[in-house]
Amino acid sequence: MRFSDYLTLSYLYKLLDSNKIGVGILAFSFLFIFTMNLATLLTTVLIAIAIPFSLYMLLVLYMHRKRGWIYGFIIVMGISFIPLFLSNDNLLLLALKFTPLLTFVLYTMALRLKVGEWLMEMEHEREMTDLLNKITKN
């Protein structure tokens, strides 16, 4: 285990753990769902934040060979955009605009839990390696 691997995962975990802000903004934006301009503005801001974070998240997952999580992200996010193309009703379309953001937040919440497990496994592996090194030196 390289220390840089641990650092990249722990940094991703910290970023994912701070998604409470995104959940708060998403919940707050639902209060203004009937105000077109504010809902559109908040959606645009959240998308502007989510896109670069998604690229970073996918890069870290690729570096750690977590291809299942990458494919899962692509599939889940792709499916979340389908309802936008099926609706003609303006009010329903406005509500459906939040589906990809909600899906993104739910995905990052699940990933945060899994990254925490990966970090614990890496820490356990490091401790076992240290213990084996101490035993072999004696």
Side-chain angles (χ1 to χ4, degrees), residues 28-84:
F28 182 72
S29 64
F30 274 114
L31 295 175
F32 297 101
I33 198 164
F34 297 108
T35 309
M36 285 284 233
N37 294 334
L38 187 55
T40 304
L41 175 67
L42 286 174
T43 303
T44 305
V45 168
L46 286 173
I47 290 171
I49 293 169
I51 289 173
F53 177 74
S54 296
L55 295 174
Y56 173 75
M57 179 181 66
L58 291 172
L59 175 68
V60 171
L61 290 172
Y62 178 77
M63 286 172 44
H64 290 277
R65 295 180 179 90
K66 305 296 183 185
R67 287 183 173 78
W69 280 91
I70 295 170
Y71 298 143
F73 178 77
I74 293 168
I75 291 168
V76 166
M77 291 308 296
I79 290 171
S80 71
F81 281 96
I82 290 173
L84 293 175

Side-chain angles (χ1 to χ4, degrees), residues 1-2 6 13 17 22-23 26 62 84 88 94 108 117 130 132:
M1 173 185 71
R2 294 186 321 225
Y6 185 81
Y13 182 78
D17 198 34
V23 172
L26 187 61
Y62 178 77
L84 293 175
N88 291 332
L94 181 62
T108 57
E117 289 177 19
D130 289 347
L132 287 174

Side-chain angles (χ1 to χ4, degrees), residues 105-124:
V105 169
L106 292 174
Y107 179 87
T108 57
M109 290 171 71
L111 183 61
R112 181 182 60 86
L113 295 173
K114 199 62 176 172
V115 169
E117 289 177 19
W118 296 335
L119 287 171
M120 287 191 308
E121 289 172 5
M122 291 176 87
E123 184 65 26
H124 178 70

